[in-house]
Amino acid sequence: MTLANFAQPDVTLRLDLDGIIRRADLSEAMGGEGLEAWVGRPWAETVTEGGNAQVLRMLDDARTSGLSSFHQVRQRFPSGLEIALEYATVRLGEGGLIAIGRSLEVVSELRARFLATQTSMERDAWRLREVETRYRLLFDASAQPVLLIDANDTRVVEANPAAVRALGRVSDLRLLPELADDDRDGFAATLERVREQGKAPGVVVHLGPHRQPWLVRASLVDAGSSATFVLQLSPTAATLERSEGLPVEELIARLPEGFVVVDGEGVIRMANRAFRELVAQPADPALVGQPVDRWLARPGADLVAIRDHVHRSGVLSGFASALRRASGEIEVELSAVTTGEFVGILVRRRSRSLPAGARSGPEAKALLREMVQEAVASVEQSCIDAVEEIGQSERERAAQLLAMRRRDLHDKLTRQASETGAANDEPDPTPGDD
């Protein structure tokens, strides 16, 4: 039964002043029972033994004071059904009395529902408290600085201990006005993109008393009327250098091979000049915050293989891969190490050598022939360059040393001069020079 049913009387009895039933009505919720047999009988005879005294007391109270208190009786219906009812009796002037009864089963049902709802709410409250406790433990124990900021005014609502150690006291600080002009627009655009799309690439901002650079990634927690951004701060190479007092960035920048640091999601945190040259990206900000998969020839597969190997054995060496850039792919060899949270990848161009699987057969012979021809051509070219510097009288001797006819030597010199745009005033050789 609903609360509306409970508000309506389940049984209505119209009585004369002597307590004789003149009319009996049931609510729709109690439908199905015929009460014609009650008409003309004393009300006290329609209840079970033990309820007679309660009925007589209600009749006396209604006759004398006009209204009786509520009393509980077990009402016996003509069909034999017995239901616990709670009655109150009211006097209607000289017109008699009216008894209004409500089923206690409805009250019991509502009480049971209330208790069940209360128990469920208490259970949910305990679960919520447990989740909040776990969140608090993770929030406080995280080694990575985390900030919670209000989505409306970027006010710092809460900062975990790692953030306080790295940035100082930041509670109630409005973050956006504190940023430098160069950082403010990019940070605001990142928050707006997170608000609209749910995620956005990380952005580098300078925070703390020393304005250290941090890579910031944001996520949105929307709680209806209030929304909060969760900011995860990760140190860049410059931040690590400043905290350790070591010229890490300078040393890495001078490496002749490419070097790149990625996080657990494959996002570039730092890249040196050699790596930028390999992927034809002259500016470091164009790389930081981008997935390294963007430049790997096999997106996803190579990075997964590298991470699995370094996390399993701690180091990776001689991994064959390729980098993509606008001018085409270049073959590279990758070596990697990990600190657990970050992976450092060393990238060097692959030298031309016989692959392990092509050391025999036609492919090996063709590749070897090509390498030998390239070596001979290189030596021959060096000799020709040297011949250009000697006099005309020595060229015949040079041709003999190179095991070629003087005409052939002359043709090569002429072709080389034509390719470089240099003038060649030497007269054509005579037939006797052959």
Side-chain angles (χ1 to χ4, degrees):
M1 297 180 182
T2 64
L3 188 61
N5 298 132
F6 177 71
Q8 299 296 324
D10 295 311
V11 179
T12 304
L13 302 177
R14 293 186 178 273
L15 312 167
D16 59 18
L17 294 177
D18 296 327
I20 305 300
I21 298 175
R22 298 305 178 186
R23 181 178 173 180
D25 297 305
L26 289 178
S27 66
E28 294 181 0
M30 298 286 290
E33 289 287 340
L35 303 182
E36 293 81 3
W38 283 359
V39 177
R41 295 180 57 191
W43 180 23
E45 294 182 358
T46 64
V47 300
T48 60
E49 294 182 5
N52 307 56
Q54 304 292 340
V55 170
L56 295 176
R57 186 178 299 114
M58 285 188 285
L59 293 175
D60 290 340
D61 291 344
R63 282 193 290 258
T64 56
S65 62
L67 177 66
S68 72
S69 301
F70 284 94
H71 291 274
Q72 297 180 7
V73 298
R74 288 196 65 82
Q75 184 73 59
R76 182 184 293 116
F77 288 86
S79 63
L81 177 66
E82 294 184 5
I83 296 178
L85 295 175
E86 186 178 57
Y87 280 102
T89 306
V90 180
R91 181 170 180 174
L92 302 175
E94 298 299 326
L97 308 172
I98 184 171
I100 299 173
R102 294 181 302 176
S103 173
L104 293 180
E105 292 184 358
V106 175
V107 177
S108 300
E109 180 182 355
L110 289 176
R111 184 181 293 112
R113 291 182 181 180
F114 171 76
L115 293 176
T117 302
Q118 186 178 23
T119 302
S120 177
M121 292 178 62
E122 291 177 352
R123 188 182 301 113
D124 292 342
W126 278 106
R127 289 177 180 173
L128 182 62
R129 186 174 302 177
E130 183 180 359
V131 171
E132 184 177 357
T133 302
R134 292 180 180 178
Y135 151 77
R136 176 58 55 185
L137 291 174
L138 292 174
F139 185 74
D140 292 341
S142 175
Q144 187 177 23
V146 179
L147 297 176
L148 304 182
I149 66 171
D150 189 277
N152 296 321
D153 58 5
T154 69
R155 179 178 56 86
V156 177
V157 178
E158 195 168 358
N160 70 341
V164 174
R165 288 193 299 268
L167 308 177
R169 295 189 59 85
V170 292
S171 297
D172 294 326
L173 179 70
R174 291 186 63 191
L175 196 59
L176 191 58
E178 287 294 315
L179 299 179
D181 293 340
D182 294 340
D183 295 341
R184 192 176 302 153
D185 293 341
F187 182 70
T190 296
L191 295 185
E192 188 62 27
R193 184 171 177 180
V194 171
R195 192 193 301 271
E196 295 176 356
Q197 303 179 12
K199 60 180 180 179
V203 60
V204 176
V205 299
H206 295 76
L207 296 173
H210 303 293
R211 294 299 179 181
Q212 299 176 355
W214 296 87
L215 180 64
V216 180
R217 279 184 286 183
S219 57
L220 181 64
V221 178
D222 195 348
S225 59
S226 63
T228 304
F229 286 110
V230 180
L231 305 183
Q232 295 176 305
L233 280 63
S234 302
T236 62
T239 306
L240 294 173
E241 172 188 336
R242 193 172 285 112
S243 63
E244 297 293 338
L246 297 174
V248 178
E249 187 175 9
E250 181 179 356
L251 293 174
I252 294 176
R254 295 185 179 183
L255 283 175
E257 286 85 10
F259 187 80
V260 61
V261 177
V262 301
D263 60 15
E265 297 180 2
V267 176
I268 296 176
R269 297 296 183 82
M270 188 275 294
N272 69 348
R273 178 181 54 81
F275 182 82
R276 296 198 302 270
E277 291 177 354
L278 286 173
V279 297
Q281 292 289 333
D284 185 63
L287 293 176
V288 174
Q290 297 292 329
V292 73
D293 268 353
R294 176 179 174 183
W295 289 278
L296 291 178
R298 295 182 293 272
D302 281 357
L303 183 60
V304 170
I306 293 171
R307 285 190 302 195
D308 288 348
H309 191 91
V310 296
H311 285 306
R312 185 170 58 254
S313 59
V315 65
L316 172 68
S317 179
F319 183 83
S321 183
L323 293 181
R324 294 183 298 176
R325 55 183 186 175
S327 59
E329 293 186 359
I330 57 172
E331 296 183 350
V332 295
E333 186 178 276
L334 307 179
S335 299
V337 293
T338 181
T339 62
E341 183 179 0
F342 299 99
V343 177
I345 304 175
L346 186 68
V347 185
R348 62 167 59 92
R349 287 177 177 266
R350 292 178 62 187
S351 59
R352 296 200 61 180
S353 60
L354 281 176
R359 293 177 180 171
S360 62
E363 293 182 1
K365 293 179 180 178
L367 183 56
L368 184 58
R369 186 182 302 108
E370 180 183 352
M371 293 173 63
V372 170
Q373 290 174 351
E374 289 182 359
V376 171
S378 177
V379 173
E380 183 178 288
Q381 182 62 45
S382 299
C383 295
I384 292 174
D385 293 339
V387 168
E388 286 186 321
E389 299 178 2
I390 66 177
Q392 176 68 27
S393 61
E394 298 294 331
R395 291 193 178 183
E396 184 174 354
R397 175 61 178 166
Q400 293 176 359
L401 292 175
L402 291 174
M404 65 175 64
R405 297 184 305 171
R406 187 170 177 229
R407 177 179 293 278
D408 294 337
L409 176 60
H410 172 76
D411 291 342
K412 289 182 179 289
L413 290 173
T414 303
R415 185 166 55 253
Q416 179 168 308
S418 174
E419 290 175 354
T420 57
N424 189 350
D425 298 327
E426 181 184 359
D428 294 336
T430 62
D433 292 332
D434 291 346

